[in-house]
Amino acid sequence: MPRFTTSDGLSLHYEDQGQGMPVLCLSGLTRNARDFDFVAPQLAGYRMIRLDYRGRGQSDWAEDYLSYNVPRESKDALELLDHLGIDKTAILGTSRGGLISMGLAAVAKDRLLGICLNDIGPVLETGGLDYIMGHLGRHPDFKDFDEAAAMRKKAMEPLFPGVPLNRWRKEVTHTHVETPEGVRLNYDPKLRDAVIEAGATGTADLWPYFDAIAPLPCAIIHGANSDLLSFETVAEMKRRNPDLIVAHVPDRAHIPFLDEAEAQVALSDWLEKLKQA
């Protein structure tokens, strides 16, 4: 099981599969390498690298929970690239991973080939942030995965209509574990404290970080029902970067699974631009 040790001594899990142009896949806030299972077939022919952030998935939890922050996680990503001997990579960043990607565009652009953002932009809508904080770091009250999946489908059906129960069950198993006490988180609950202390308000001006991406190939995949990324923000991203590849994915909120037709077209266009750059 591949692991590497960060400069502050944590052992982090990663996956490295395939050959060709490297694509570093960075997941959502509470999530892990499994975020990219559904898009993996489209990345055949590329070197697909997935990182479990500190405190998530199969990586070590940090004694200092305040190290669960975007700058430190960005450093971890660069240290993984160094560990693998990779000079430059493309990044597919989902939610938190997109924030890390934009940060790297500002401070380590020489390591990047391009960025694809999955339902994240320079403006974080308060409704989406409130929803995330409503469950972040709190163990759910379900006895097993079947009950958790059924409730997940019921809650998400208005925003993700028609998604089958087995897909929600897979998602639940990616971010939780079954125990004798019921379903529990598989990430450090202190991530909640870290986010609160970092200021989970969405008021920071992230536009300079997005602007830093150009002229590298960039794409945005937007869940049309998203409560975290608005159509207005996507339109402003396109205005600032006319070369931006844009996909609005219907019947998806935060976050698209990335195997939807619209998402796959955008990814294909982005990957083609990377080859031509």
Side-chain angles (χ1 to χ4, degrees):
M1 186 177 296
R3 305 184 74 84
F4 78 104
T5 303
T6 64
S7 55
D8 63 345
L10 280 190
S11 175
L12 304 188
H13 170 260
Y14 68 93
E15 298 178 18
D16 183 2
Q17 64 187 90
Q19 303 290 327
M21 181 189 300
V23 179
L24 176 62
C25 298
L26 299 177
S27 61
L29 175 64
T30 63
R31 300 160 74 125
N32 51 61
R34 302 279 64 78
D35 252 5
F36 302 97
D37 285 355
F38 295 120
V39 77
Q42 192 173 2
L43 293 177
Y46 295 85
R47 184 177 178 182
M48 185 179 182
I49 302 156
R50 320 186 207 190
L51 171 66
D52 280 359
Y53 304 131
R54 54 183 55 219
R56 283 82 128 192
Q58 298 179 62
S59 289
D60 282 359
W61 293 11
E63 285 189 27
D64 177 13
Y65 68 86
L66 290 179
S67 72
Y68 302 143
N69 63 67
V70 169
R72 178 65 242 193
E73 290 160 12
S74 300
K75 189 172 184 180
D76 292 343
L78 291 175
E79 290 178 0
L80 172 58
L81 295 179
D82 293 340
H83 172 76
L84 296 174
I86 294 173
D87 181 43
K88 289 177 179 281
T89 187
I91 301 183
L92 172 55
T94 288
S95 196
R96 174 79 151 207
L99 297 179
I100 292 170
S101 304
M102 288 189 283
L104 289 174
V107 301
K109 193 170 185 174
D110 60 321
R111 306 297 299 272
L112 304 183
L113 298 170
I115 292 174
C116 180
L117 302 167
N118 183 20
D119 209 60
I120 193 72
V123 178
L124 310 182
E125 300 298 323
T126 55
L129 291 172
D130 290 345
Y131 176 79
I132 290 168
M133 295 309 298
H135 60 79
L136 177 62
R138 293 173 172 166
H139 294 295
D141 188 23
F142 303 123
K143 68 177 185 296
D144 56 29
F145 283 150
D146 289 338
E147 182 180 354
M151 292 302 295
R152 180 87 171 139
K153 178 172 174 58
K154 181 178 180 181
M156 301 306 288
E157 184 66 23
L159 298 173
F160 288 80
V163 174
L165 178 63
N166 65 345
R167 179 159 289 206
W168 291 124
R169 195 182 193 284
K170 275 187 181 179
E171 183 173 284
V172 168
T173 64
H174 293 166
T175 52
H176 298 78
V177 293
E178 282 184 329
T179 75
E181 291 76 39
V183 176
R184 293 293 181 265
L185 304 173
N186 74 347
Y187 64 87
D188 188 347
K190 288 184 178 177
L191 179 60
R192 177 183 183 84
D193 302 300
V195 170
I196 290 172
E197 294 199 36
T201 62
T203 56
D205 181 9
L206 302 180
W207 284 109
Y209 298 91
F210 172 74
D211 292 340
I213 299 172
L216 299 178
C218 187
I220 176 68
I221 296 169
H222 171 224
N225 297 337
S226 178
D227 58 0
L228 193 68
L229 177 65
S230 69
F231 279 92
E232 291 76 15
T233 296
V234 175
E236 177 63 12
M237 292 166 72
K238 179 68 172 177
R239 188 192 70 79
R240 288 172 178 247
N241 183 351
D243 293 328
L244 181 69
I245 298 165
V246 177
H248 298 288
V249 185
D251 296 333
R252 294 290 184 266
H254 189 73
I255 50 176
F257 296 104
L258 296 178
D259 63 348
E260 303 88 354
E262 296 81 4
Q264 296 209 323
V265 168
L267 278 166
S268 293
D269 291 348
W270 176 66
L271 292 168
E272 190 59 36
K273 276 195 174 184
L274 290 173
K275 291 177 184 176
Q276 296 170 0

